Amino acid sequence: MQELDDVYALPGMLTLAETDCLYQLGQFDQRNGVIVEIGSWKGKSTVALARGARKRHGEPIYAIDPHRILPEEGYYEDTEAEFRATIKGCGVDDRVVPMVMSSAQAARGWSRPIRLLWIDGDHRYEAAKLDFKLWEPHLVVGGILAMHDTIRKRGPKRVLWEEVFRSGRFQEIAIVDNITAIRKVGQASISARLRNYSTLALRALYIAARKSRIANSKNVGRRLLKQWTRQPWLPALSLIFLRAIAG
């Protein structure tokens, strides 16, 4: 995607397809509210979200990250200066509200409705669960929850299973590599729950395929899962899927 060529080159733990996905999520305009990002690191995900938001609506990205050293998660540098330089260099500093603090500190007194909640902070279970518990109540019904590392990291995987998949309050699962996005609803319909169960079964097969020694099983599983979980509120998923096949 030409608009993201400079973003692909930024440091960060996002695949090309995940960067495209965040760009599309940033464009989500079916509900009112701001975009909240928990975990910005050096700004790659922030820029992708802000570029998407700029294309469809004027809501800012609230980028929450203490930018401090966290050896437990493998972070050994303070990233605030590089983060600010990145959003300025990519021309989105006017679209981003940096909140250099922890998720818990940012949540104190928060009252704004959220249309898109992107969680990619501390991946340890208790921390990931706290992020969800603090911020999900502010996500409007019909809004989108998206989480990173939901395939390979135990913390986000467990939170997603316990707090989202089992809750009956979310439906329309979309999975792009290690990103899982899902729409919040008051109560998932029976048909939506059945669709969720079939998606989770396919997701389990994909996770097993990642550990398999069968040639190409991981790539095939990833492509099938993307195709199966295309959602109307993320229209470019089909384009991402086709690009993944072509690549």
Side-chain angles (χ1 to χ4, degrees):
M1 192 178 298
Q2 188 174 1
E3 188 169 351
L4 297 179
D5 283 346
D6 58 332
V7 185
Y8 298 143
L10 294 173
M13 283 68 74
L14 296 172
T15 66
L16 294 180
E18 288 171 342
T19 306
D20 289 346
C21 179
L22 289 179
Y23 174 73
Q24 292 300 323
L25 285 171
Q27 295 180 47
F28 179 72
D29 62 356
Q30 296 179 20
R31 291 295 184 274
N32 293 324
V34 299
I35 296 174
V36 168
E37 172 185 58
I38 301 174
S40 306
W41 200 49
K42 296 182 179 181
K44 183 172 187 173
S45 57
T46 317
V47 174
L49 289 168
R51 290 270 180 90
R54 181 171 61 189
K55 190 171 183 178
R56 288 286 185 89
H57 55 83
E59 292 293 346
I61 316 298
Y62 287 82
I64 302 167
D65 196 311
H67 294 287
R68 59 181 174 82
I69 296 170
L70 187 62
E72 298 86 350
E73 279 285 280
Y75 300 119
Y76 298 96
E77 58 182 319
D78 185 304
T79 56
E80 181 182 355
E82 188 167 352
F83 168 77
R84 291 184 182 276
T86 295
I87 60 173
K88 183 175 182 178
C90 291
V92 297
D93 53 317
D94 62 330
R95 301 274 174 171
V96 177
V97 181
M99 301 184 73
V100 184
M101 61 189 73
S102 70
S103 169
Q105 290 171 323
R108 292 173 192 160
W110 181 274
S111 60
R112 302 195 67 174
I114 298 172
R115 72 171 70 195
L116 170 65
L117 175 59
W118 163 240
I119 300 179
D120 188 22
D122 191 329
H123 292 84
R124 291 172 294 177
Y125 170 70
E126 292 296 339
K129 182 177 179 179
L130 180 62
D131 287 340
F132 177 87
K133 290 290 191 181
L134 289 173
W135 291 95
E136 183 273 335
H138 300 289
L139 181 65
V140 300
V141 173
I144 303 298
L145 167 71
M147 297 178 65
H148 196 218
D149 287 316
T150 53
I151 300 294
R152 62 188 178 189
K153 294 289 184 75
R154 292 181 180 179
K157 278 200 297 185
R158 183 176 170 187
V159 171
L160 199 62
W161 179 258
E162 294 176 351
E163 305 294 339
V164 178
F165 292 154
R166 293 170 57 183
S167 71
R169 298 186 298 112
F170 294 85
Q171 63 187 40
E172 301 172 20
I173 303 170
I175 300 175
V176 177
D177 292 356
N178 280 285
I179 292 177
T180 299
I182 190 167
R183 185 192 285 269
K184 180 178 178 178
V185 295
Q187 186 69 32
S189 65
I190 293 176
S191 61
R193 290 190 182 208
L194 292 174
R195 176 77 180 189
N196 284 354
Y197 295 148
S198 61
T199 298
L200 294 177
L202 186 58
R203 175 178 176 269
L205 289 175
Y206 169 57
I207 292 173
R210 287 172 60 90
K211 303 175 183 179
S212 172
R213 295 183 179 180
I214 301 174
N216 297 319
S217 60
K218 178 180 175 179
N219 290 334
V220 171
R222 182 174 65 242
R223 292 167 184 171
L224 288 174
L225 195 56
K226 287 179 185 178
Q227 185 181 40
W228 175 257
T229 61
R230 284 181 292 177
Q231 299 297 340
W233 41 264
L234 198 58
L237 271 178
S238 59
L239 299 179
I240 295 170
F241 173 67
L242 291 174
R243 192 172 85 172
I245 293 176

